Amino acid sequence: MADYTVDARGLSCPEPVVRTKKAFDGHQAFDVLVDNETSKENVIRFCDKMKAATTVAPTDDGWKISVEK
């Protein structure tokens, strides 16, 4: 269960990944909200490198990526 949300909607790369990386420091499970395909793919790729599990769900204005370390 996510205890934190990173709202990266409206941000261009690399900012969504930078904010996701910061969330890794203090949270075991969190959500990342993105609104474009590039940000979605980059956040997922970063989480894969960090060996974190991700689940992607569409939202009205993009995607919610649930991350669990």
Side-chain angles (χ1 to χ4, degrees):
M1 178 91 183
D3 66 350
Y4 184 73
T5 300
V6 176
D7 188 350
R9 293 173 294 188
L11 301 176
S12 57
C13 284
E15 194 61 31
V17 173
V18 170
R19 292 189 182 196
T20 300
K21 185 176 181 181
K22 286 180 183 176
F24 260 91
D25 293 338
H27 305 279
Q28 286 295 317
F30 57 92
D31 295 327
V32 182
L33 304 176
V34 295
D35 61 0
N36 66 74
E37 186 76 28
T38 301
S39 293
K40 179 182 79 157
E41 295 302 322
N42 287 344
V43 168
I44 291 169
R45 189 175 309 113
F46 171 76
C47 291
D48 286 346
K49 286 183 183 178
M50 299 297 287
K51 307 244 186 282
T54 56
T55 305
V56 180
T59 64
D60 290 341
D61 59 352
W63 296 271
K64 176 175 83 170
I65 305 165
S66 298
V67 181
E68 190 168 336
K69 294 201 276 187

